Amino acid sequence: MPKKIPLDTSDLDALCVNTIRMLSIDAVQKADSGHPGLPLDAAPMAYSVWTHFLKHNPKNPNWYNRDRFVLSAGHGSMLLYSLLHLTGYEVSLDQIKQFRQWKSITPGHPERELTPGVEVTTGPLGQGFANGVGMAIAEAFLAARFNRPAFKIMDHFTYGLVSDGDLMEGIASEAASLAGHLRLGKIIYLYDNNSMTLSAGTQLAFTEDRQKRFDAYGWHTEVVEDGNNLKTITKAIAAAQLETERPSLILIKTLLGYGSPHKQNTYEAHGSPLGEEEVKLTKQNLGWPEKPAFYIPKAAEKHFRNAISKGRNLEKEWNALLVNYRKKYPTLAKEFQELIQGELKKGWNENIPQFPADSKGMATRDASHKVMQAFSPNLVGFIGGSADLNSSTKTELTNFGNFQNSSTNTGDLQGAMDGGWNYAGRNIYYGVREHAMGGISNGLATFRGIIPYTATFLTFSDYMRPSIRLAALMKLQVIYIFTHDSIALGEDGPTHQPIEHLASLRAIPELIIIRPADANETSIAWQIAIESREMPVALILTRQKVATLDRKQFSSAEGVRRGAYILYETKKNKPDLILIASGSEVELIVAAKQKLEAKKISVRIVSMPSWELFEAQPKKYRDAIFPRAVKARLAVEAGISQWWERYIGDEGRMISIEHFGASAPGPTLMKRFGFTVENVCKEAQALLKKEKKLSGA
């Protein structure tokens, strides 16, 4: 390195902005992979937020009352990694140099829990936009519950950097609409308005007036015509902070790939390295030394690292505030401390009911409702709602109010008297916005102690799938309640009848799916969901009534914890047949067992509500449930048979449905499609006959 580098350091802000830019393009070029365009054009707005506004502590990325920053445009990840390194997070220069490489903490798109300071995993566009809305809801909810005069223990902003692509995605529209309605004034999003996407300019597909669109959503909007004008950007952010009744979108006009002589303002700068020669020319163009790569001027580094002492002081002041808060409000302080530590309150589940045997039974959605009401008073952070389906999914929390801005005109809506309308309410009315519901819940779940739940029909899990996948990837505790779980829902017909959905959800790694057979299995399923602190859980529930099994005759519902368990065992040494089912079809195989035993066929019944929990069991347990010696296995599930062969084996059979349903009463459909006791017995006997023939007996 030369002793003197001809670099103008008189303008410290410009020096720092260009440090972000050059560190980013050097990393992309070394990796020969990545997106240089956004870091080049968005560096000024990001610098403004991170140095003038962002309340954070680089040495404690998990400080609870920090401002949140979401890079929704996750493809520009090097922008964020540069900021994290420069401000003093545990992201070393060596890690910057390992951008996009094996085992680095600087992957192609930001990943939560991998890189210190990354709040959420982003990349699929629009997701971060919705996540930020969830974070703002969490802040507003906690502030309403715990803040007291002179004690604003929850008081921070949610910043985001969003792109043209983010605003095109439907999830962003859904989330923006809800955020405007809820008047979430602590949201400040900076829109990198460069009018350029991966393959073309936005004039080919995205020409509406974005400012008017967000004005219509009820947002505060500001326009910055020059994305390099730090004074104007800073002024716009300051104005957004003062706007308490509306979320803010600052539309900042930029040039994609700013500074690149040949690729600036072209889509070529979006998703490919500039190339060695263009990197050289870009540095020359912006007055930066060509070598060495990854050069960080001492003046810039010193300025950025001020974030460390500033952040420590901010957290220290907050901790002092908490000390006085504990003295003034000891009960609230204890509750707050338990919540932010992410610990379950002792005895949280002590009021959960045990359901008596009942041949008529109840729908598992109804059992779920009773269970939710029992434990929700003991879990302050349990908050959620449905996509306009509370009356169908049975998921409203009674007497806990509705999460609304208190000044919103709610008219005489049902429930307005149930605890009121304010940010302390725990029922979120998402409207018909399934995808935003999923993305918002992910944002909520990033707050320790907050346990968000969502609810809709199982068939509409398709609308939420991208958000569910990201919750699993981030290991977030989000609970999905999916009701109307089969063709048995009846007359609504094939548009609403899930067929492939269980298989589809089972394909998502790190997602626990539980389809309980009766009320008591539902009770245990809920306890598992609440206790699963680092995994999302999907509860699959019935609309129709199912019998509540007599646990004096059948095994304890605690077996749900192991994913599959022997519900009933033959008195013989070895069963002739294993009947397997999940959910409502367990009642069916229980009834079939009686008829089969009358024909001198010994039967083992296995209730299998969760493949994921079962696969987590020791091999010895799994082999005991499905012993190799018993080849005759019949599974029954009102969905497609995909992947069931792993449990029924090559010689087993499956009663399933491999086509769409129809519009008719539920019982009629179950009968027409073979989900009857008679058909179970018929298939079981045919299976045994085949096995006998194969064995030569």
Side-chain angles (χ1 to χ4, degrees):
M1 182 186 299
K3 290 182 180 179
K4 266 190 152 183
I5 295 176
L7 184 68
D8 179 11
T9 60
S10 60
D11 187 338
L12 184 59
D13 286 336
L15 182 73
C16 290
V17 168
N18 282 336
T19 300
I20 297 170
R21 285 171 167 152
M22 300 311 153
L23 198 56
S24 298
I25 65 172
D26 278 342
V28 171
Q29 191 57 44
K30 183 176 185 298
D32 196 23
S33 172
H35 300 72
L38 184 142
L40 283 171
D41 73 55
M45 67 181 82
Y47 169 76
S48 182
V49 170
W50 278 69
T51 57
H52 297 300
F53 296 99
L54 196 68
K55 183 173 69 176
H56 64 123
N57 182 358
K59 296 307 175 185
N60 182 13
N62 296 319
W63 173 34
Y64 206 76
N65 194 41
R66 67 191 181 276
D67 287 339
R68 271 62 173 178
F69 179 84
V70 177
L71 182 66
S72 190
H75 55 275
S77 57
M78 259 318 305
L79 172 71
L80 180 55
Y81 301 147
S82 295
L83 288 163
L84 292 171
H85 169 70
L86 291 167
T87 55
Y89 285 79
E90 297 301 316
V91 179
S92 69
L93 190 58
D94 283 341
Q95 286 293 338
I96 296 292
K97 293 176 181 178
Q98 290 300 306
F99 177 54
R100 287 183 163 230
Q101 304 309 302
W102 174 249
K103 289 191 175 179
S104 79
I105 63 168
T106 51
H109 293 83
E111 295 182 31
R112 176 180 168 82
E113 298 296 326
L114 178 64
T115 314
V118 170
E119 300 287 357
V120 283
T121 299
T122 55
L125 291 170
Q127 288 287 336
F129 190 112
N131 297 162
V133 173
M135 293 173 183
I137 288 174
E139 191 275 341
F141 168 68
L142 293 170
R145 182 168 185 89
F146 292 108
N147 286 2
R148 292 296 182 270
F151 291 97
K152 288 188 175 182
I153 60 170
M154 289 303 297
D155 182 20
H156 62 259
F157 289 93
T158 298
Y159 296 96
L161 197 159
V162 303
S163 64
D164 289 303
D166 285 298
L167 298 194
M168 288 187 213
E169 291 285 359
I171 186 174
S173 299
E174 292 181 20
S177 173
L178 184 60
H181 164 76
L182 292 173
R183 302 185 183 184
L184 297 172
K186 292 288 190 71
I187 293 175
I188 301 175
Y189 284 170
L190 288 78
Y191 168 28
D192 180 21
N193 186 13
N194 58 40
S195 301
M196 196 66 61
T197 60
L198 183 146
S199 60
T202 55
Q203 71 272 15
L204 295 181
F206 191 46
T207 55
E208 76 254 23
D209 188 322
R210 272 82 88 184
Q211 183 181 12
K212 288 182 179 178
R213 174 179 151 200
F214 275 79
D215 286 341
Y217 285 145
W219 286 54
H220 161 74
T221 60
E222 294 263 348
V223 175
V224 175
E225 294 292 348
D226 179 3
N228 288 304
N229 190 324
L230 289 172
K231 184 177 180 180
T232 309
I233 293 171
T234 301
K235 183 179 178 182
I237 297 172
Q241 284 190 332
L242 295 175
E243 173 55 65
T244 60
E245 283 288 307
R246 292 178 293 170
S248 294
L249 182 74
I250 304 173
L251 300 90
I252 304 174
K253 186 62 182 174
T254 61
L255 297 173
L256 182 69
Y258 176 82
S260 170
H262 299 108
K263 296 188 177 182
Q264 175 180 296
N265 204 31
T266 71
Y267 68 86
E268 292 176 347
H270 175 90
S272 300
L274 296 178
E276 290 185 8
E277 183 62 22
E278 192 68 14
V279 167
K280 176 182 174 181
L281 293 174
T282 301
K283 289 181 177 181
Q284 290 177 356
N285 195 31
L286 294 176
W288 201 261
E290 296 172 27
K291 293 182 179 180
F294 301 99
Y295 171 64
I296 300 174
K298 293 297 182 185
E301 182 177 60
K302 182 180 178 181
H303 182 60
F304 277 115
R305 293 293 163 89
N306 286 334
I308 296 174
S309 57
K310 182 180 177 183
R312 281 175 173 158
N313 289 335
L314 286 168
E315 185 172 0
K316 186 178 178 180
E317 290 171 7
W318 185 72
N319 287 331
L321 183 68
L322 279 182
V323 170
N324 292 325
Y325 181 71
R326 290 187 193 102
K327 294 175 183 177
K328 182 87 172 178
Y329 304 102
T331 303
L332 271 177
K334 183 175 183 292
E335 187 179 89
F336 181 68
Q337 193 63 35
E338 287 176 347
L339 182 133
I340 67 173
Q341 288 174 349
E343 298 173 358
L344 290 175
K345 182 179 180 181
K346 187 177 180 180
W348 72 271
N349 58 351
E350 62 187 7
N351 297 323
I352 290 179
Q354 290 188 348
F355 297 91
D358 183 355
S359 59
K360 292 183 180 179
M362 67 177 72
T364 53
R365 65 170 178 171
D366 292 322
S368 169
H369 176 76
K370 293 177 183 295
V371 173
M372 289 173 70
Q373 308 315 311
F375 70 69
S376 54
N378 297 327
L379 294 179
V380 174
F382 186 66
I383 178 174
S386 74
D388 197 44
L389 289 169
N390 273 350
S391 61
S392 295
T393 57
K394 310 289 185 181
T395 47
E396 185 166 7
L397 301 178
T398 57
N399 302 317
F400 283 103
N402 303 297
F403 183 89
Q404 293 281 328
N405 184 294
S406 59
S407 61
T408 300
N409 179 16
T410 57
D412 59 354
L413 292 176
Q414 180 65 36
M417 301 304 293
D418 260 352
W421 298 85
N422 56 69
Y423 284 156
R426 285 164 59 182
N427 292 291
I428 301 174
Y429 277 73
Y430 284 106
V432 188
R433 301 184 182 99
E434 291 90 352
H435 200 179
M437 177 171 68
I440 289 169
S441 295
N442 288 351
L444 281 162
T446 64
F447 281 67
R448 283 194 312 276
I450 298 290
I451 304 176
Y453 71 89
T454 72
T456 188
F457 296 170
L458 179 55
T459 192
F460 300 143
S461 62
D462 286 340
Y463 286 130
M464 300 174 62
R465 186 178 177 82
S467 296
I468 296 172
R469 183 178 187 273
L470 282 172
L473 181 59
M474 289 188 272
K475 301 185 184 302
L476 294 175
Q477 185 181 23
V478 181
I479 300 172
Y480 306 103
I481 304 167
F482 294 124
T483 65
H484 296 58
D485 70 342
S486 74
I487 55 170
L489 69 87
E491 293 88 343
D492 279 341
T495 59
H496 285 52
Q497 292 164 3
I499 301 297
E500 74 281 15
H501 297 78
L502 271 172
S504 176
L505 290 173
R506 285 169 178 155
I508 300 176
E510 309 300 327
L511 170 67
I512 296 173
I513 297 124
I514 310 177
R515 188 174 184 237
D518 72 349
N520 286 308
E521 282 200 3
T522 304
S523 174
I524 301 299
W526 259 112
Q527 293 178 67
I528 294 167
I530 296 296
E531 293 162 1
S532 297
R533 310 298 284 169
E534 294 184 350
M535 290 181 79
V537 176
L539 303 178
I540 314 298
L541 306 174
T542 69
R543 178 196 187 195
Q544 77 276 18
K545 289 183 178 181
V546 290
T548 305
L549 299 173
D550 185 349
R551 295 295 167 167
K552 293 178 182 178
Q553 297 181 36
F554 299 97
S555 299
S556 168
E558 285 288 338
V560 173
R561 295 185 181 277
R562 308 198 77 168
Y565 66 104
I566 299 172
L567 182 66
Y568 171 85
E569 181 67 296
T570 177
K571 293 181 174 60
K572 292 187 178 181
N573 292 332
K574 186 183 101 164
D576 298 319
L577 171 73
I578 301 178
L579 293 178
I580 318 160
S582 73
S584 54
E585 289 77 72
V586 170
E587 180 181 23
L588 190 59
I589 62 173
V590 165
K593 179 265 300 182
Q594 298 174 347
K595 291 199 172 187
L596 291 169
E597 285 187 332
K599 296 178 182 294
K600 307 300 182 185
I601 297 171
S602 61
V603 177
R604 169 182 291 183
I605 295 178
V606 173
S607 176
M608 195 168 189
S610 176
W611 292 15
E612 297 75 27
L613 293 176
F614 181 67
E615 291 298 331
Q617 302 306 309
K619 185 176 185 300
K620 184 177 180 180
Y621 177 80
R622 288 181 278 128
D623 288 345
I625 299 297
F626 299 120
R628 293 185 179 183
V630 183
K631 305 288 186 183
R633 303 176 189 177
L634 176 64
V636 186
E637 188 172 72
I640 62 172
S641 60
Q642 187 174 356
W643 300 338
W644 265 101
E645 61 272 8
R646 71 176 68 177
Y647 302 118
I648 62 176
D650 294 337
E651 298 176 31
R653 289 199 179 200
M654 177 86 195
I655 297 176
S656 62
I657 179 167
E658 307 296 326
H659 50 78
F660 295 119
S663 180
T668 300
L669 294 175
M670 294 296 274
K671 181 178 179 180
R672 291 286 183 179
F673 294 137
F675 294 96
T676 64
V677 172
E678 292 73 23
N679 194 42
V680 172
C681 291
K682 176 185 172 185
E683 290 292 328
Q685 289 174 288
L687 179 59
L688 289 168
K689 185 177 179 181
K690 178 183 176 183
E691 187 196 17
K692 187 175 181 181
K693 184 177 180 181
L694 288 172
S695 65

